[in-house]
Every structure is written in C-alpha cells, then in structure tokens.
Amino acid sequence: MSLPEGFLWGAATAAYQIEGAANEDRRAPSIWDAFSRTPGKTLNGDTGDVATDHYHRWREDVAAMAELGISAYRFSISWPRVMPGGALNRKGVDFYSRLVDALLENGIAPVATLYHWDLPQELEEAGGWPERATAHRFAEYAARMARALGDRVHTWTTLNEPWCSAFLGYASGVHAPGRADPVAGLTAAHHLNLAHGLASRELRAAADPSARHSITLNPHHLRGEPEAVRRVDAVANRIFLDPLTGRGYPPDLLEDTAALTDWGFVQDGDEKTIAAPLDVLGVNYYAPTLVHTWDGVSPRAGADGHKRGAATPFVGCEDVEFAEQPGPHTAMGWPVDAAGLEEMLLGLRRDHPALPLMVTENGAAYADAVGPDGRIRDGDRIAYLRDHLAAMRRAVETGVDVRGYFAWSLLDNFEWAYGYDRRFGLIHVDYATGERRWKDSAHWYKEAISRGGPA
Ligand code: PNW
C-alpha cells in the first residue's frame, strides 16, 4: 500500500449542517438562520433549526466514528454559538471542548474549522465580509478558540471554501447572506483572505506548537477552452491560492475586473498578512468544471441555475459558458469524474510543489432508499468513493504529498440551499425521529479504512 505513514482517514461535517439547537445555550443567529428563514431561499423552506440534532446526539455520533475506524474527524465551530454578541459564551465552548475530549478518548484526531459559513448575523448587519472590520472580529474569535481548545486540536483550519462564502454569498446570492453584487463578492474575497492571515497569526501564537495550520479551498478543476479556463481560474482559484502562497493577487485578475473595481480595498501590508505560513492546504473536490468562451450569438448554455440569467458567481467571466458534461451525474447534478481529482492534485503539486495537501471533502449525494429490510443499498456512493480514493492514491504514487482524506459527510445533513433533500451521508438520518442508520457505504468505508485503501 502506497499511502504514507500517519495518513488521516476521516469524515467531515459542518456546524450549521448538523447541530440544530439553534436557540439553545445563548447561541446567536447566523446569516444562515436569517437566510434559511427567508421564504424562497432554501428548498422546501428548510432551516438548520434542528438539523441532525447533533448538539444533543454527539456522543452517539462519536461512537459511530469510533466504530467506523476513522483516525480524524473534521468538524466546524459555530462562531455565533461560542461568541454571541462578541463575548465568549462558556456553554458554547464547553460543547466543543467535550466533543474534542471524546474524540481524543477514541483515538480520533480533531480537525477543527473556524468558519464553515455561519457568520454571526450581527456582523452581517454591520457590513458582513465586504466590511474590513469583519476580518478583525474573526481574528479575535480565532484567538479565543486557540486558548480554549488549542491544547487538544490536531489541525486548525481557518476557513472552509472562501470562494463559496464570497461569491455564492455576495455575488450570486444563492447562499447566505444572499446579496448579488460582484464588487461585494470581490471585496468579501479579499477580507476572507485577510481574515485567514490575521487568524493564522493568532492561532500560531496561542495553540499547541505541534498543531498544523491550514485553510480549505474548493479549487475548481477546469477543463475546456484556454481563455475561458484562464479567466475562471483567476477569479475562482488564484484569487485565493496566489495571495495565500505569497504571490499576491494575480495581475490578470486585476485586469479582468478593472471595469468593476480598482481593488482599493487591498491595503499596504495585506498581502504579507495573507501569506501566513501554511502547514497543509485542504482541498475539497466533487466534480470538474467545463468552460467555453461564449460566441455572443448562440443561446447561453448552462450547467445549472446560477448560469441561466441569474447573477454569476464568476465575476468578470460573463462571456464564459459553463457546459453540461456527458456521463453520469449525482443527485446534485454534478458529473461523476474521478480522474478530475487526480488531475487537480497533480496541478496543485505542479503550481505549489512544497505545499502538503489534504482532501478535506469528497463525496456524493444520491437518492438513497431504505429497503424493506432496513438496508440502504447505496452502491452508487460506494463506487464514487472507491473511484475517487483510487484516483487520490494514483496522485500519491506519482509523488503528490497528500496527508489525509475526509469523506463528505459522516451524516446526512442540511445541504444549504437544497435543505434536507440531498443526502451526502455515510450514515442515513431519519429527520422525523433523528434515528441514524448505516448505509452500505459506511460499512464499505470501514473496510476500506481497515485495509488502508479503496481495494
Ligand atoms: C461544499 N458550488 O459546498 C461544502 O463545504 C459543504 O458544506 C457542502 O455540504 C458540500 O460541499 C456539498 O455541497 C459546496 O456550487 C457547495 O460550486 C456549492 C458549491 C461548491 C461546494
């Protein structure tokens, strides 16, 4: 077997998607509470008020992780739960402290993400991510968490997928807080980068020196016509990767967006702050993206809603077409393409040879059905995981430094704008009762972990 010593086998979740207990123990509302309670924003009007009720069932969930045999668990901390009104909430912190202790007792390394999209609503009302002060509030929150949990957390991740926060949240508006303004999207992206840099500094200063520090991106693995690829790569990938790795913002990105903004929101010294040392880069992969340059005449193609008339999250790429891809798709409508994961890892290695990587999310939504015998035969999910694990292993065999793999997700959960309709879990959740049931894929993943690979 070719995976390195100490390779982390994990599963991932996020606070708002699983916890519920939205009004308990002084938790304040986040932008996702406000957004999901606004009619028309999520499928069926679903909210995270109860979700999988993990806030009450966490012991049972940790027991399932131990039974699965994972060596790491990637979860996120709810900022409005631990710092409602900007002050530390002991009860909120205690929840994560108990969780971390239980993980460690079971030999599971805690991989904690500080921000998986649940900005305190009060900070959105003060301007949200397009407001520079939000980055400083985030650094204060990071410092508090480092002091509270830093003696026990194995890996810290500042942000999950800042592309989604900035551009789905502020440019296309399909995610909270639902604003549709391209300049707000770009400004938010910069302030998220800055927040990462400022928080990283606080985490390094206060957390255990053996902890690793990271950020998780969702690099878009692009295929298609080179000019379209270049444009999308600039505003979706290099806008984060380049400043994070000390290269500053790419000149072609500044040019592509010059008609919108002069980037005056970037202040002297910001790029240096953003380039804080990274021990590992987390990458989430679900599917590749196929792009062409629009000929200006044909009816616009579009692989999904936000590309048909609605505001695009790809700011400055209005003449790019996102093409349908042939072959099988998951219940998200995303193509199944394991080779894309291998190519993405190789591409990152080519562009950033010294940067260790970790696959912090990979998985698939399917319309799972509980059979009369109570079994959930999700062979399609097993095939997806098997093929993607094999693709990751090929990349490792070619020399890519991959430190871990986290299946998305441990449990079925609140899938953002799609509510409870799309199920990504290894473990099925009956939302009427909260009951958990292992899908065939959970049994398969347990076997894969114990043998150290997909087959
Ligand atoms: C990621 N897109 O979200 C998130 O990190 C998870 O919380 C989420 O449940 C998972 O992937 C599955 O969706 C994404 O539109 C949501 O490009 C949307 C996009 C990408 C990632």
Side-chain angles (χ1 to χ4, degrees):
M1 242 323 299
S2 48
L3 293 172
E5 265 295 297
F7 186 84
L8 297 177
W9 286 98
T13 62
Y16 190 70
Q17 296 182 272
I18 65 165
E19 287 179 2
N23 304 311
E24 258 173 79
D25 294 339
R26 298 186 45 236
R27 178 186 178 276
S30 77
I31 54 176
W32 271 96
D33 296 274
F35 185 78
S36 65
R37 289 169 187 166
T38 305
K41 298 297 185 186
T42 65
L43 196 58
N44 305 315
D46 289 344
T47 73
D49 285 358
V50 179
T52 75
D53 199 27
H54 170 78
Y55 193 73
H56 300 112
R57 292 177 175 260
W58 62 275
R59 286 176 202 282
E60 174 187 351
D61 292 336
V62 173
M65 295 178 215
E67 181 62 33
L68 264 176
I70 56 177
S71 49
Y73 173 52
R74 176 177 183 258
F75 62 98
S76 81
I77 298 171
S78 162
W79 186 356
R81 191 183 289 291
V82 295
M83 294 197 67
L88 198 73
N89 173 21
R90 191 32 67 190
K91 283 200 161 172
V93 175
D94 285 349
F95 170 73
Y96 298 103
S97 190
R98 285 192 296 266
L99 173 67
V100 164
D101 286 341
L103 292 170
L104 293 172
E105 278 159 27
N106 285 284
I108 301 169
V111 175
T113 299
L114 288 173
Y115 187 71
H116 201 124
W117 308 355
D118 43 1
L119 184 71
Q121 175 63 15
E122 66 216 12
L123 293 181
E124 174 58 24
E125 281 158 21
W129 286 112
E131 178 63 45
R132 188 176 172 90
T134 303
H136 290 281
R137 298 294 85 78
F138 182 71
E140 290 160 16
Y141 156 55
R144 297 293 199 120
M145 291 308 106
R147 270 179 268 148
L149 305 170
D151 55 335
R152 288 161 291 156
V153 166
H154 175 279
T155 300
W156 286 100
T157 304
T158 52
L159 309 173
N160 175 70
E161 301 189 350
W163 179 80
C164 293
S165 300
F167 295 106
L168 299 182
Y170 292 91
S172 74
V174 301
H175 278 185
R179 290 205 235 165
D181 168 359
V183 178
L186 293 169
T187 316
H190 176 60
H191 293 150
L192 283 154
N193 277 330
L194 183 64
H196 160 81
L198 293 168
S200 225
R201 194 186 278 168
E202 298 293 341
L203 291 167
R204 287 254 181 220
D208 189 276
S210 69
R212 304 178 193 169
H213 298 276
S214 70
I215 183 170
T216 281
L217 302 180
N218 57 318
H220 289 62
H221 179 62
L222 298 161
R223 299 190 183 133
E225 194 264 314
E227 173 57 11
V229 166
R230 183 199 64 73
R231 286 184 89 97
V232 177
D233 183 48
V235 78
N237 298 333
R238 288 181 283 120
I239 187 173
F240 300 106
L241 270 169
D242 284 11
L244 287 167
T245 56
R247 300 174 185 182
Y249 286 104
D252 61 327
L253 170 66
L254 306 191
E255 251 171 67
D256 292 348
T257 55
L260 292 166
T261 172
D262 63 2
W263 288 70
F265 45 78
V266 181
Q267 298 184 7
D268 283 352
D270 284 0
E271 285 168 322
K272 188 155 178 278
T273 304
I274 295 166
L278 272 182
D279 299 319
V280 59
L281 175 71
V283 292
N284 295 346
Y285 175 85
Y286 291 92
T289 304
L290 181 59
V291 294
H292 305 299
T293 301
W294 184 42
D295 61 16
V297 187
S298 328
R300 303 284 310 244
D304 69 38
H306 63 241
K307 292 133 199 170
R308 288 204 182 92
T312 177
F314 298 98
V315 172
C317 300
E318 285 71 16
D319 55 356
V320 172
E321 282 203 315
F322 293 79
E324 279 307 339
Q325 296 177 61
H329 290 69
T330 68
M332 295 299 286
W334 297 347
V336 177
D337 190 327
L341 174 58
E342 181 184 8
E343 292 160 18
M344 181 182 94
L345 293 169
L346 291 170
L348 286 163
R349 148 105 173 171
R350 176 196 63 222
D351 296 345
H352 302 275
L355 192 55
L357 305 174
M358 189 143 85
V359 178
T360 41
E361 285 179 26
N362 175 240
Y366 285 109
D368 303 316
V370 184
D373 55 356
R375 251 180 79 187
I376 297 156
R377 293 177 167 75
D378 59 338
D380 35 19
R381 181 174 292 104
I382 292 174
Y384 182 100
L385 295 171
R386 183 196 58 219
D387 293 350
H388 285 75
L389 279 167
M392 176 194 73
R393 191 169 60 188
R394 287 195 301 275
V396 171
E397 284 164 352
T398 319
V400 184
D401 182 359
V402 183
R403 302 289 174 89
Y405 174 92
F406 293 73
W408 183 269
S409 176
L410 178 71
L411 300 166
D412 289 340
N413 60 51
F414 175 77
E415 177 50 33
W416 307 113
Y418 297 92
Y420 298 101
D421 192 70
R422 306 293 154 89
R423 294 176 176 270
F424 275 92
L426 298 169
I427 297 175
H428 181 271
V429 176
D430 177 337
Y431 292 110
T433 62
E435 192 199 332
R436 277 82 163 127
R437 189 187 293 267
W438 282 34
K439 302 179 191 177
D440 283 0
S441 58
H443 295 286
W444 179 86
Y445 193 50
K446 177 182 169 129
E447 289 300 309
I449 294 171
S450 70
R451 81 176 98 78

